[in-house]
Amino acid sequence: MQCFLCVFILQVTYKWLSYTLGVHVNQAKQMLYDYVERKRKESSGAQLHVTYLVAGNLVQNGYICHKVAVVREDKLEAMKSKLATIASVHVYSIQKALLKDSGPLYNTDYDIIKTNLQNCSKFSAIHCAAAVPRTLAEVSQAHTSAQIDSQTPNDMQVSTASSKPPAKGNTMSNFFGKAAMNKLKASSESEQAKEEREVTKPSVPAAEPKLLPTTTVEKPGKKTEPVKIQKKDRKSRAKRVDLSDNEEEKEAENLKKKRRRIKQPQSDSSDNEADGPASSISQEDRAPTPSPEPPPKAGLEPASTEVKASTGGKKRKRRRVLKSKTSLDDEGCMVTEKVFESESCTDSEEEFTKAKPASLHRQSTAPVKKDPKEDRRGPKKGAATASKANKQVSIMGFFQKK
Amino acid sequence: MFSEQAAPTAQGLLAPPSAEPSTFARAPVSTYTDCTEPFRLGQRSFSRQYAHIYATRLIQMRPLLEERAQHKWGSGIAMRKLCELQAGEKCCVVGTLFKSMQLQPSILREISEEHNLLPQPPRTKYIHQSDELILEDELQRIKLEGTIDVQKLVTGTILAIYGSEKDNGKFLVEDHCFADLPRQLPMRGPSTNHFVLLVSGLGLGSGSGESLLSMQLLVDVVTGQLGAEGEQSSAAQITRVILAGNLLSQSTQSRDTINKAKYLTKKTQAASVEAVKMLDEILLQLCTSVPVDVMPGEFDPTNYTLPQQPLHRCMLPLASTYSTLQLVTNPYQAEIDGVRFLGTSGQNISDIFKYSSMDDYMEILEWTLCVGHISPTAPDTLGCFPFYKSDPFIFTDCPHVYFCGNAPLFSSKLLKGRDGQQVLLVTVPDFSATQTACLINLCDLSCQPVSFSGFSADEDEGDMEIGH
């Protein structure tokens, strides 16, 4: 006890003592009292200030009120005389300095309770048989529907991540004829602006990410048809180099930020049919899911419709806004990127998407290595990219800009 | 109650440590029935008009009022509808009251351009000398005058009036009566002392720490940490704690995001987030020791219209793992140990306070019981869900304990009804202002206030003045 007071200059409350020593609260109170008595008898130099808890009956406003008060030692007798019947008196706390105000007492108690939240009734004098924490099984049973909703978006995420490599490594795009490409070009240009890669975090703590997957998956649900065309178009447009570059940078990005693309669910429907073997191409698959074969489309569709239904209730609207992000990369270069950021109307930045043009204009400035971000030489290119991002990029641009 | 039991061992802890500290088992609740079913809304559709709720209210209460009227004025009196009135004939009419008030805030007037009015500043009372009472039934309405207290009554009350129609088209009232207390089921209370603690208006998140120590003292008394052995054993007899609303303070409701520019409020958290975390910790401490019923109030994160739905358990992750935590509606109805409780978080009473000349919360509480309706001013001036099948706020049977939260002062009264009903009326004071809670003894329906206090620097002079 003595060492406590020496070390902790401020104060010792009965509750603090009880938790720290692991004793019953009543014993702690008695210990405090005992300490005070002994110290006072010794009459050593250090003066102790004590606060007491007094409880009893008091007549107030015509009612017999049961009053519980923490009082300083000098006011103890006055309070006791005010009470008609005294129910209890005990030591509340001991401190070295005189307390002007009972605020610090609350703070001490609050801190000790905070560190012992899980067993806050362990040392109290009353035990309640009914207060049993529900097991996880019971809790989850009570909320199965909520869990089902969260399961499907997680499945979606898994499937999208795994299907991402096959999409990127696809060489089938080169086999499309020009005529077909022209047809696709028209639709692709319209899709160009809307195209987005949505990135979500794989580690999913409870409630928050439920929203993310639902919104991201909502888009694939809506755009299954045009996206199919879009995906093929992307494959056709992108050169092999670019594709691999994209893949690298995406994966590098993944490494850095641990995010997964959910773009893939849109292409999943087409990829699954055509790109089985293509999945083996990607070596540097750093997505958490090891299986190259994406889960069946069937799993996707019901999930997306179910999620669509559930997102019907979601009130957040998402807008895509072109924003410029400036950051410092490894080499100390300032990097400015123009990205399409998807944000809700209340401006919460939960996801961001990389615009396709941003990645396309990476050029050959940086070697194809695992760069955390794209490098751009100065803002000029960024500006050029920005302006390009707003315009619809012609497909043929790729074939000219060797 | 507490003190007498505890007095013998009051100074017991002013002693060296004893070997075996005693532990008391919490008195178990023998029966608990949750009767909030009528207040729980499943599918909510707001596409209906509010006229239906008045219609169903009148239909449900008409038979009751006709019986009362015949009881009071003799069974031979003529019961008339407004359309059947004849001038000069003494008869009795049952209908809904409407008070047309000049000062009543009207949204239409506010937004009307031709009047060019600024919005009215909020007042404590909206009554005025020129207010008029009008009685409406299913088809017609008629103005009332005579021996009827215009200032006291509020819109939405169903009553029976006795008098006659005058030539000027107004009804001259000679007498009136209300539905009065409904029948009461006999109380099968516990045989030993069992207590229920009622607290309201914790007001967390207010930024001022004055009542925090008092709140901690309250939790400690209930969980048995505070007090000498006698008091702890008395506290073990508290079988339930009911938190009657306003767990969060009004200051957590500031809606900066609407008033301020977005760049200022972009990354700020709502004030209620911290407050709810604090609430969760307090509830966890209570739940490990005693069953708790949490009712939402005016400033709590739930819907605004009555009946307020329970707080969602996802907001209280720590406490909701315990089955002793019950999140309930406002108004709340339950049978605890054979004693029927019914109460609200106070919005109904404070709304009547604004539109009536009655000043005392206890008086208003008693009046709502006599009128037979928990909140007659809903939906006129108090937000309410558009019911159409039945009005759940009508008293179907008389409770044994009827309380309202967030009153300015504590008061309790044992009301005796005409047919032998006995109701304990309690106005639970706002804890953040008064640091007082209410302890109800289920055995004999008595109520005692419990107040907590710390000490502060400026208390030195104050102590001397609170004389004997």
Side-chain angles (χ1 to χ4, degrees), chain B residues 98-116:
Chain B
F98 176 74
K99 185 153 114 174
S100 97
M101 290 185 281
Q102 180 192 7
L103 291 176
Q104 182 178 356
S106 158
I107 186 71
L108 296 176
R109 245 185 282 147
E110 273 177 31
I111 60 176
S112 152
E113 281 161 6
E114 44 186 59
H115 288 254
N116 240 357

Side-chain angles (χ1 to χ4, degrees), chain B residues 88-105:
Chain B
E89 181 201 5
K90 283 212 188 299
C91 59
C92 168
V93 187
V94 173
T96 316
L97 210 60
F98 176 74
K99 185 153 114 174
S100 97
M101 290 185 281
Q102 180 192 7
L103 291 176
Q104 182 178 356

Side-chain angles (χ1 to χ4, degrees), chain A residues 14-15 24-27 29-31 33-34 51-53 55-57 63-72 75 80-82 85-90 92 99-102 106 110 113-114 117 120-121 124-128 130-134 139 143 345 347 349, chain B residues 2-4 6-7 10-11 13-15 17-19 21-26 212-213 216-217 220 223-229 231-232 235-236 262 266 281 284-285 287-289 313 320-322 324 410-412 448-457 460 463 468:
Chain A
Y14 77 94
K15 200 186 278 189
H24 194 275
V25 281
N26 288 349
Q27 276 188 327
K29 296 169 200 162
Q30 287 169 330
M31 283 161 73
Y33 176 77
D34 197 34
T51 61
Y52 287 88
L53 180 98
N57 272 356
Y63 294 101
I64 299 177
C65 172
H66 182 83
K67 184 134 179 91
V68 177
V70 176
V71 290
R72 283 202 297 259
K75 298 277 181 303
K80 275 163 82 170
S81 59
K82 258 195 275 173
T85 328
I86 298 177
S88 47
V89 182
H90 65 76
Y92 191 86
L99 273 189
K100 285 277 160 61
D101 175 333
S102 46
Y106 173 73
Y110 181 75
I113 289 171
K114 210 82 207 246
L117 264 184
C120 38
S121 275
S124 96
I126 299 178
H127 282 149
C128 179
V132 173
R134 279 193 271 235
V139 171
H143 297 271
C345 287
D347 236 11
E349 300 172 4
Chain B
F2 255 27
S3 310
E4 285 78 29
Q11 316 245 12
L13 291 179
L14 292 173
S18 59
S22 31
T23 315
F24 308 97
R26 172 79 59 194
L212 286 177
L213 180 67
Q216 194 57 53
L217 292 177
D220 288 343
T223 55
Q225 306 200 3
L226 216 57
E229 291 195 350
E231 180 148 6
Q232 286 168 341
K262 254 196 181 161
K266 198 161 175 182
E281 283 159 19
L284 176 67
Q285 292 175 54
C287 286
T288 50
S289 179
R313 58 184 295 285
S320 57
T321 52
Y322 284 85
T324 43
F410 166 81
S411 58
S412 84
Q448 187 183 38
V450 187
S451 74
F452 302 89
S453 66
F455 55 88
S456 61
D460 293 335
D463 267 349
H468 310 282

Side-chain angles (χ1 to χ4, degrees), chain A residues 88-160:
Chain A
S88 47
V89 182
H90 65 76
V91 178
Y92 191 86
S93 75
I94 303 179
Q95 47 271 337
K96 284 215 168 144
L98 180 66
L99 273 189
K100 285 277 160 61
D101 175 333
S102 46
L105 292 175
Y106 173 73
N107 292 337
T108 314
D109 281 346
Y110 181 75
D111 290 333
I112 196 71
I113 289 171
K114 210 82 207 246
T115 51
N116 284 306
L117 264 184
Q118 283 314 315
N119 47 353
C120 38
S121 275
K122 199 160 151 197
F123 303 114
S124 96
I126 299 178
H127 282 149
C128 179
V132 173
R134 279 193 271 235
T135 57
L136 272 176
E138 292 170 5
V139 171
S140 63
Q141 241 177 25
H143 297 271
T144 42
S145 60
Q147 302 225 329
I148 288 173
D149 275 348
S150 66
Q151 284 296 329
T152 48
N154 284 340
D155 288 341
M156 295 288 297
Q157 276 195 356
V158 165
S159 67
T160 60

